[in-house]
Amino acid sequence: MLFCLLMTAGVVSAQKVEWDNGREERIRALIGQMTLQEKVSLLHANAKFYVAGIKRLGIPEWALSDGPHGVRAEIDRDDWGYAGRTDDSATCFPPGTALAATWNPRLAYERGLVLGEEARYRQKDVLLGPGINIIRSPLCGRNFEYLSEDPFLVSRMAVAYIKGLQSKDVAVSVKHWLANNQEAHRDSVDVYMSERALREIYLPGFKASVTEGGAYTVMAAYNRFRGDWCSENEYLDRQILRKEFGFRGVLMTDWGAAHSTVKAALAGLDLEMGTDIKDYKQWYFADPLVRAVEEGKVPVSAVDEKVADVLRVMFRTKVLGEGVREKGKMNTPEHQQAAYVSAAEAAVLLQNNGNLLPLHLDRIRSVAVIGDNATRRHCGGGLSSEIKALYEVTPLEALQRKWGDRVKINYARGYEKQSTFKEGSNSGQSGAGKVDWGLIDEAVKAAKESEVAIVIGGLNHDFDTESSDKQDMGLPYGQQVLIQEVAKANPNTVVVIIAGSPVELAGIVDRAPAILWAWYGGMEAGNAVADLLSGKVNPSGKLPFTLPVSLAQSPAHALGNYPGRDLKVNYEEDILVGYRWFDTKKIQPQFPFGYGLSYTHFSVDHFSTDKSRYGKNDTIRARFVIKNAGSVYGAEVVQLYVSDPVCSVLRPEKELKAFEKVFLNPGEARTVELRVKVADLAFYDESRKAWNTEAGEYILQLGNSSRNILQKVKILVDHE
Ligand code: BGC
């Protein structure tokens, strides 16, 4: 049997060193001047998005705001109504899955900078994002806000985002800690999973956010985890977050996710935020906390720790202390350009038969543009992440503006937004819905009269939304029939999917020659779509999740453990989430994780490693040469997966361990080096409660999706 090399789960101390340097004494001195009531006033909201300050000690009110892809409009202090201000229109980026689809951490960093500047301009101290829960089911209503099914991709994007944003003196709030992987029954469901799944799939994004990103705040989810609410979960909050990750910032509740005073206080919760309109003084972390201390149920030292966590974040973001705080900027051309690049780099070209795309506008005189999403604006939807965008360019507007003087654009609605909401069962919209033959006939007519037909469809925020899940993965409002009829009428049919979570494409992949997945594109959505279709921009996005043929293929659904029974859900698919399931079980998805085409093509050669044998503390340096072998500028995302073919436990067929997005001119070649720590080849060994890198052979696989492996190299990890 193979020898085991063990790595114990050590306490991470990097954050501590950074946060100490003299501030701790000042924090203690401030706390020393506070009454118990004053201390507790810093541990609960005094408005929907504010926490009271202590004037006499120079501690200002703390301002929080949603959300992950733009600074949300101002909300009334004590209810959910919008304040009706005229100065709170903001830059709106494409949401989470679109960001992850860029596979470009630099864009996540730049987004962080922009959001940080806008948050500061609006006098915010904490921006409530990024949302980094693993995409477990295609149905989760918040998939669009989250990043990926893969913990490594989540980690890389989240760390970059956090570093960018916090460099502007604003705290992130990484959410939702933990296992908020469905919206159905989110405020009551109890999630169970193996320790291995927790460690390998659901924790790494949070761990990286805290230990590498240095996240200043974390938001505890609504749900329970192994019986206890996430906001008072001793194992998650004290043992893992505080002790193992070394987190020294603020753990706040999601809005209304507190359930107790004493238990939560002892488990490590710092701050109660909420939606409840009753007197803030009655909240768990208000007068009841004062009483709990007075009755000796919560030691005053525990309260002091919480206050210290709050003050520490205030010092780090220059709310307190010296240093000139970032003043911020709002709606600059640079911000809008960042939103555009983010949308343009996110789009995934799924299919391009006969090289229908890019469209040669010099040769085309008429185009039919069909679909409700050609004219729909999406920035204002999705609930807590909704943005009052300064503007939002729809695809039809952009096509008319950019092509209108050369090309006749025949617009037809094609389908209409309908309500397909089913009462009860916590489920949201269904992909079913009426086929409107009147609208289809008009669309077919427009398609027949045009040289090219572009159907712009997909979902909207009736589906991709907080607080309910989709009922199924169907394309709603009869779009499948619409696309089939349009494609029959015009062989040059391009489908543009606007959606933030998987939808079923089985009924259209054989009919429409070209499919571009454009996500919700934020305020610059239309400009990006137009430039991608015309070839001004070459698509370079890659799927951040597996696109199944049907819902039944997807692990949680194949095993029947979504959305759970009797408010309990057991993640029986264990570590086999997303492509780990599809690749291990040899199930052919519609389009695999990491997949996306380009208008050019790339060759990848000379894949090699610096050594063939490694010790457990080594770093593998893997090199390859990539060349743009086509005739236009473009980018390829080269992905390094690792397999452990002989292991004492089941391992996924392959796991993503590194990637690089490489931009190349036509004919240009570059040597790229990817680094992987041998320690990162470990699995979580439940029998030893530790990470375990077994000695033996590993296969490094270089590809441009989890299913398209171009080169392989075997290495050996030595006994030690
Ligand atoms: C959401 C959070 C959000 C908060 C404040 C909650 O319902 O789950 O993600 O930040 O509301 O709007």
Side-chain angles (χ1 to χ4, degrees), residues 48-49 65-68 72 75 80 128-129 142 145-146 175-176 180 183 186 219 222 253-256 274-275 383-385 466-467:
K48 286 266 172 262
F49 286 94
S65 171
D66 284 308
R72 194 179 184 184
I75 308 267
W80 280 108
L128 304 171
R142 291 187 96 165
E145 269 187 79
Y146 297 154
K175 61 193 191 183
H176 306 90
N180 182 184
E183 289 298 280
R186 69 171 177 178
M219 187 191 291
Y222 284 119
T253 63
D254 199 339
W255 267 233
T275 55
L383 287 184
S384 63
S385 68
E466 181 185 338
S467 110

